[in-house]
Amino acid sequence: MIELYACNTSNGQRGAVMLAEAGLAFNTHILNLKAGEHKTPEFRKINPVGAVPVIIDPDGPDGKPLTLAQTGAICLYVAEKTGQFLPQDMRTRCIALQYFMQAMSDVVLYSGAYAFSLMRFPEPNVASTKVFKDPLLEHMGYFDQRLADVEFLAGEISIADIALYPAVNQRWGLIEELGGLSNLNRWRKMMAARPGIARGMQAVA
């Protein structure tokens, strides 16, 4: 049984969704970030960085327990462990990894920075939040264009879709400002209807 340490953020959701979609059994430990539970000495023994999500897999790749942090690394590990969500065809696999990296670097960066700017300042400066909002929305436009031609980002469901979904779900109210993203909205609803997605989201709710 894998132990998942997470909270109800897009990163926490991403780890839970990946485990659930892959069909792996896991226990969820919800940490209260506002109370600083991720910064306690006890948790830092699990992850010295003091960040979630983290998994502990008692059945690691060498038969020994593996502790792994960083939501992108967790997605890749689960995909490799189960042989799922990483396409076998090399061309398709590379495309999946391209969109996975775009979601994990650009989208997560701008989404997180936008949220931080809103939380950090009681009256956030419109210009400063725009610095993060505009690139985030621009990336969503790119994804919408891609999804005009394919059902999933790589043509088949992959870690790219699992990486992107929590951010799209979390920021949908903001994304709707662009208007007309019918392909992304279709994809969002299709992803939400998957039992594994629903279980993963519920696990950290």
Side-chain angles (χ1 to χ4, degrees):
M1 180 77 73
I2 292 175
E3 305 297 326
L4 169 68
Y5 295 82
C7 60
N8 192 22
T9 62
S10 63
N11 276 331
Q13 292 166 355
R14 192 170 292 110
V17 162
M18 187 67 198
L19 291 168
E21 276 283 318
L24 295 177
F26 63 97
N27 290 320
T28 307
H29 307 268
I30 302 296
L31 277 69
N32 185 332
L33 301 189
K34 290 184 178 180
E37 291 181 354
H38 58 309
K39 300 296 185 181
T40 63
E42 292 77 15
F43 184 71
R44 285 188 185 274
K45 291 178 182 178
I46 298 172
N47 182 12
V49 176
V52 292
V54 179
I55 63 168
I56 300 177
D57 184 0
D59 181 25
D62 53 1
K64 298 177 182 178
L66 172 71
T67 299
L68 190 65
Q70 295 295 327
T71 186
I74 291 169
C75 287
L76 286 167
Y77 171 70
V78 171
E80 294 282 5
K81 178 182 176 73
T82 64
Q84 301 179 73
F85 306 114
L86 276 176
Q88 294 300 307
D89 175 73
M90 182 54 70
R91 181 178 296 274
T92 308
R93 187 187 186 96
C94 289
I95 293 171
L97 289 173
Q98 171 187 309
Y99 288 111
F100 172 72
M101 295 301 179
Q102 185 180 359
M104 290 307 307
S105 56
D106 300 318
V107 172
V108 169
L109 169 66
Y110 288 120
S111 178
Y114 174 75
F116 182 79
S117 69
L118 294 179
M119 292 186 296
R120 181 65 177 82
F121 304 103
E123 296 181 3
N125 182 281
V126 173
S128 65
T129 57
K130 187 177 174 65
V131 169
F132 307 120
K133 182 178 77 171
D134 286 357
L136 174 62
L137 295 180
E138 186 175 15
H139 280 285
M140 293 304 165
Y142 295 148
F143 286 120
D144 184 75
Q145 293 173 21
R146 170 63 179 171
L147 290 165
D149 302 318
V150 291
E151 186 175 25
F152 297 103
L153 292 171
E156 62 183 75
I157 191 165
S158 71
I159 57 172
D161 302 283
I162 293 172
L164 181 62
Y165 175 75
V168 170
N169 181 69
Q170 185 179 61
R171 299 282 174 241
W172 187 250
L174 177 65
I175 294 167
E176 282 188 307
E177 290 184 13
L178 277 180
L181 299 186
S182 58
N183 304 310
L184 187 64
N185 194 27
R186 181 266 307 162
W187 171 89
R188 177 182 68 94
K189 292 177 179 178
M190 181 175 60
M191 291 292 288
R194 292 177 65 87
I197 298 286
R199 286 197 303 273
M201 297 292 282
Q202 182 59 40
V204 294

